[in-house]
Amino acid sequence: MRCDGCNPCRENSPGVQRGTRLIWAIGLAVANLLVSFLSDVTSISSSYSGQLRCSSVHSPSGSVLETDAPTDNQGKGERFSPTDLVATALNTCILTIMGIVAESHGWDLKGCVARVEKVMTSKAPRRIALLEVWIELPPHIDSKARRILEKAAENCPVKMSLDGAVPMRFHWS
């Protein structure tokens, strides 16, 4: 008996399947392109490796980063802990944002150093109690440039994201 071209048969024919897959693939490509243009989305995939270690892959670059639980929380402490990465994110965000501002003004920021101390709560639930940051600008940076760079650092995206959730103190020299 021959089918008269009912919907299930038409939808499952090889030509329709190829066409549907092609349309779907084009739609997905267009959607991905729109997302990349319309938003600042970065994908990071993480997996648990065992023994309190995780591995994360930064999708845009393929860079891999491993974390360990700290020794005071049952870990080996052989890698950055997740909360160490929060502190590191603050430090590197400050330096990066100041670098962007410095480059836009033609200032040389090489040698600028930031150091952060992360204080954890002593009682449960564990959380970051304080991030204290010391920023040392190069000696050739004048007072006007210093004020501009300090304002830029105070408004870095990581600080703005943590503000109100984690106490932070900045010290400048």
Side-chain angles (χ1 to χ4, degrees), residues 38-143:
L38 299 177
S39 64
D40 292 328
V41 176
T42 300
S43 178
I44 300 165
S45 302
S46 301
S47 62
Y48 183 71
S49 309
Q51 299 182 343
L52 307 180
R53 180 167 289 171
C54 295
S55 180
S56 298
V57 178
H58 179 251
S59 293
S61 68
S63 303
V64 177
L65 175 80
E66 289 184 321
T67 61
D68 266 343
T71 55
D72 66 350
N73 199 22
Q74 306 174 31
K76 295 180 181 180
E78 294 174 345
R79 307 282 190 279
F80 284 96
S81 74
T83 55
D84 290 343
L85 293 179
V86 172
T88 303
L90 179 59
N91 247 10
T92 56
C93 189
I94 289 166
L95 292 172
T96 302
I97 292 298
M98 288 193 316
I100 291 168
V101 170
E103 285 184 13
S104 74
H105 286 87
W107 303 328
D108 181 11
L109 204 59
K110 285 182 192 154
C112 183
V113 177
R115 180 176 60 87
V116 63
E117 289 184 3
K118 175 192 73 170
V119 179
M120 297 293 292
T121 57
S122 56
K123 295 182 180 166
R126 285 177 61 85
R127 63 186 304 269
I128 299 170
L130 174 67
L131 292 172
E132 195 157 10
V133 185
W134 286 263
I135 302 124
E136 185 179 332
L137 293 172
H140 63 271
I141 299 293
D142 65 36
S143 61

Side-chain angles (χ1 to χ4, degrees), residues 154-172:
E154 292 283 345
N155 289 295
C156 86
V158 172
K159 181 181 184 296
M160 299 303 290
S161 298
L162 296 174
D163 225 4
V166 177
M168 293 169 276
R169 239 181 310 197
F170 286 22
H171 306 275
W172 295 91

